[in-house]
Amino acid sequence: MTNKTGASETTAKDDLSQFEVRETCGCGGDHAPGAHHHDHAAPQDQGPKRTPLYDLHLELGGKMVEFAGYQMPVQYPLGVLKEHQHTRARAGLFDVSHMGQVILQSRQEDAAAALERLVPVDVAGLQEGRQRYAMFTNDAGGIEDDLMIANRGDHLFVVVNAACKEADVARMRAALEPGVIVRLLDSRALLALQGPAAEDVLAGLNPAVREMRFMDVATVELAGAECWVSRSGYTGEDGYEISVPAAAAVDLARALLAHGDVEPIGLGARDSLRLEAGLCLYGHDIDATTSPVEAGLSWAIQKVRRADGARAGGFPGAERILRELVEAPARLRVGLLPEGRAPMREGVALFADPDSATPVGQVTSGGFGPTVGAPLAMGYVPAAMAAPGTELFGEVRGKRLAVRVVKMPFTPANFKR
Amino acid sequence: MKFTEEHEWLREEDDGVIVVGITEHAAEQLGDVVFVELPDVGTVISKDDEVVVIESVKAASDILAPIDGEIVEVNEVIVAEPGKVNDDPEGDAWFFKVKIDDMSQLDDYMDEAAYKKFIG
């Protein structure tokens, strides 16, 4: 066999290249493995770093690949398909410790007000104990990274993508210091517990988590450790993301895995879960050229930051982004359902007709959706072709295959509002 | 049964017909198979032609023709249920049957012991 989209041989290296490619960062800079030296949690001097759960992944039979400079499990013995289905049916435990955890603390300047210089989002109005999705924009109105911002009372807690974290920290330092203290945490792991059983499982360790609603954040003691918990995730399911001191991470993971409803889930299923949920992957569905409006993320831009809002503009690329909010952009990110069984993966060109010469757009993420039971994709198309029901054609191995524009998510979200 | 370095198996049936599939090892490495595209019956193939497309949850791969010949039958079952490739790759989930003239084409391929050694 020869591999078309992965490496040249069907070894574990396939996964490696596949997933190495999947989190490339458009946020300026070469993210070669081992290029970052700030993470003191990493036991080695060079090469891919390890999360505090590395040994546990090996013990659980995780197939390790390099991803954003880290050794991460792409799957466990259960396999991508069953891991995906298990997360939708019960609960899955993900190690996302490679992501960047950053604290912003007010000194001479209010951290929330200051952060609004970098994101088109209402940070100043974010209530204590609440979290909000945001994106760092650039002067051209593109997206440098997407992130979560939580108001934890005396500080903001920000979580950014692994491949972008060095650039994000540099960006925040340049824009916010010295008025605001910017601290990249290197002593905390990050776990995600996702799925309909997540509440019951986590409540077994501390019933307080039952009271949390979608996007609430709280400090909760779990397995003896002080954890920063948010009710959120990247799967379209109810669940929690848990920042835990590195030294306590393995004990917490074991306590969660001890529950019969919990399986460990790798990066492979994380990708198919978020794809079905219609969620963007940075470097693929959004990048330095796509604006939040094109990406269908206008909902994340609150009224107060829009034209005529009390704090209108004032973020990079405001001119383009505010204009697109009113005039509608030339292209839009849409959901795509191939009519046949062939998956349409990233890079597949989209055409208006079976025989037209020039593509009108491109698939930015695509694959097989285990819950949908069919291939699915997302990509950018001209605004005139973005209405659900529009038929387009994706070119796969030289053949034009019919694909239909559909609303996202592909699977209904199960958040606890 | 013979094996190729591309992780295909070839089993001789009667009348110069060879059944071709992929090995357990290959199926395991591919992960959950979600799509299979087979050639049309009657297609004349040459060694190293891309005859089958197989996609798993992870990636798309080609199956290269291991021999020269003519496709006389394909296994539609794995088109309808690609997951069978993971369940029984060396049995029910065969890919296609090829009629060949020159049986010596198989001589260079590995026997089971050699293949087991090859995959280590």
Side-chain angles (χ1 to χ4, degrees):
Chain A
M1 290 180 298
T2 49
N3 213 297
K4 278 208 155 161
T5 55
S8 57
E9 287 182 278
T10 51
T11 64
K13 276 184 81 181
D14 283 8
D15 309 326
L16 190 152
S17 58
Q18 169 90 347
F19 285 92
E20 210 171 17
V21 173
R22 286 204 72 81
E23 192 171 349
T24 50
C25 187
C27 52
D30 177 6
H31 300 275
H36 317 306
H37 302 288
H38 294 228
D39 196 330
H40 305 296
Q44 331 89 300
D45 293 316
Q46 52 191 3
K49 292 180 279 194
R50 295 172 177 181
T51 75
L53 298 184
Y54 178 82
D55 289 338
L56 180 60
H57 295 314
L58 295 186
E59 183 187 317
L60 293 167
K63 199 175 186 183
M64 305 304 283
V65 301
E66 194 185 318
F67 180 75
Y70 283 81
Q71 288 279 315
M72 299 299 288
V74 66
Q75 64 172 82
Y76 296 89
L78 202 56
V80 176
L81 209 66
K82 292 200 176 85
E83 289 172 27
H84 178 116
Q85 286 157 343
H86 184 90
T87 304
R88 292 254 186 267
R90 292 175 174 210
L93 181 67
F94 303 72
D95 178 13
V96 286
S97 304
H98 56 315
M99 298 185 82
Q101 304 182 57
V102 183
I103 281 186
L104 303 180
Q105 219 149 5
S106 308
R107 201 150 52 177
Q108 295 94 342
E109 194 185 3
D110 178 63
L115 186 55
E116 289 197 351
R117 292 201 291 271
L118 294 176
V119 300
V121 167
D122 177 10
V123 188
L126 182 63
Q127 298 292 306
E128 183 173 342
R130 293 290 291 164
Q131 175 177 268
R132 181 163 277 174
Y133 178 73
M135 62 287 294
F136 291 120
T137 50
N138 59 33
D139 290 338
I143 300 173
E144 292 289 310
D145 195 11
D146 61 346
L147 63 149
M148 285 291 188
I149 303 167
N151 180 348
R152 289 185 28 86
D154 66 352
H155 65 271
L156 296 178
F157 178 53
V158 170
V159 178
V160 300
N161 280 307
C164 301
K165 66 182 170 188
E166 306 290 327
D168 289 340
V169 168
R171 173 180 303 109
M172 289 189 277
R173 293 215 158 109
L176 308 179
E177 285 180 344
V180 173
I181 301 166
V182 178
R183 201 147 50 88
L184 175 63
L185 304 181
D186 55 18
S187 59
R188 296 186 80 88
L190 194 63
L191 306 182
L193 182 68
Q194 301 279 295
E199 181 184 292
D200 283 344
V201 171
L202 201 60
L205 300 186
N206 190 329
V209 300
R210 285 198 196 279
E211 306 310 315
M212 298 174 72
R213 289 173 303 132
F214 184 59
M215 296 296 243
D216 276 353
V217 296
T219 300
V220 177
E221 190 180 314
L222 297 171
E226 184 196 287
C227 296
W228 308 340
V229 179
S230 67
R231 193 152 196 171
S232 54
Y234 194 48
T235 59
E237 296 298 325
D238 182 25
Y240 303 87
E241 292 172 297
I242 307 161
S243 173
V244 52
V250 171
D251 284 349
L252 176 58
R254 284 192 196 281
L256 295 170
L257 289 166
H259 195 290
D261 279 347
V262 181
E263 288 285 347
I265 311 296
L267 293 178
R270 182 168 162 83
D271 192 48
S272 56
L273 287 159
R274 70 92 197 166
L275 182 59
E276 281 185 341
L279 299 169
C280 292
L281 176 62
Y282 191 78
H284 302 266
D285 310 302
I286 47 176
D287 62 28
T289 70
T290 58
S291 78
V293 185
E294 290 177 330
L297 302 173
S298 302
W299 56 267
I301 306 173
Q302 286 77 22
K303 225 171 171 176
V304 71
R305 304 300 309 276
R306 299 188 182 201
D308 303 327
R311 299 192 308 284
F315 51 85
E319 190 269 325
R320 173 186 175 189
I321 293 167
L322 295 185
R323 174 168 37 86
E324 285 183 349
L325 280 168
V326 178
E327 293 176 6
R331 59 174 184 169
L332 287 167
R333 181 175 64 97
V334 295
L336 299 163
L337 266 189
E339 285 176 9
R341 297 186 60 115
M344 292 187 190
R345 297 184 191 269
E346 181 176 5
V348 164
L350 298 167
F351 295 84
D353 302 293
D355 46 13
S356 50
T358 314
V360 295
Q362 207 178 48
V363 170
T364 53
S365 278
F368 181 79
T371 303
V372 173
L376 44 81
M378 55 175 89
Y380 283 85
V381 300
M385 299 178 192
T390 306
E391 191 177 62
L392 299 170
F393 296 85
E395 192 165 285
V396 179
R397 294 178 283 271
K399 286 182 213 157
R400 299 275 173 96
L401 306 176
V403 58
R404 205 160 26 87
V405 174
V406 295
K407 281 186 80 162
M408 290 188 284
F410 297 93
T411 47
N414 283 320
F415 304 135
K416 190 181 168 185
R417 302 273 180 192
Chain B
M1 200 135 99
K2 293 280 196 174
F3 297 86
T4 74
E5 291 189 1
E6 307 285 329
H7 308 285
E8 292 143 293
W9 54 261
L10 299 87
R11 196 178 63 227
E12 198 177 328
E13 282 197 335
D14 303 335
D15 308 327
V17 170
I18 305 292
V19 191
V20 179
I22 64 167
T23 64
E24 293 265 7
H25 174 77
E28 197 177 299
Q29 293 295 327
L30 274 173
D32 306 295
V33 174
V34 296
F35 174 75
V36 179
E37 189 174 83
L38 297 171
D40 295 330
V41 170
T43 307
V44 174
I45 58 170
S46 303
K47 188 174 181 304
D48 295 339
D49 284 354
E50 296 173 3
V51 282
V52 173
V53 177
I54 181 165
E55 297 215 24
S56 73
V57 285
K58 292 182 233 161
S61 309
D62 289 318
I63 306 289
L64 303 184
I67 41 178
D68 300 340
E70 182 187 339
I71 303 282
V72 292
E73 196 180 339
V74 296
N75 189 0
E76 295 291 350
V77 172
I78 59 171
V79 175
E81 292 176 73
K84 287 218 185 291
V85 175
N86 298 103
D87 298 338
D88 193 12
E90 297 187 16
D92 287 347
W94 55 276
F95 279 65
F96 54 84
K97 298 183 181 182
V98 204
K99 179 137 178 84
I100 65 173
D101 297 326
D102 178 9
M103 280 295 179
S104 72
Q105 293 186 76
L106 273 62
D107 292 351
D108 290 340
Y109 288 127
M110 294 174 274
D111 61 17
E112 189 164 1
Y115 178 70
K116 282 209 166 125
K117 208 171 158 193
F118 173 71
I119 58 174

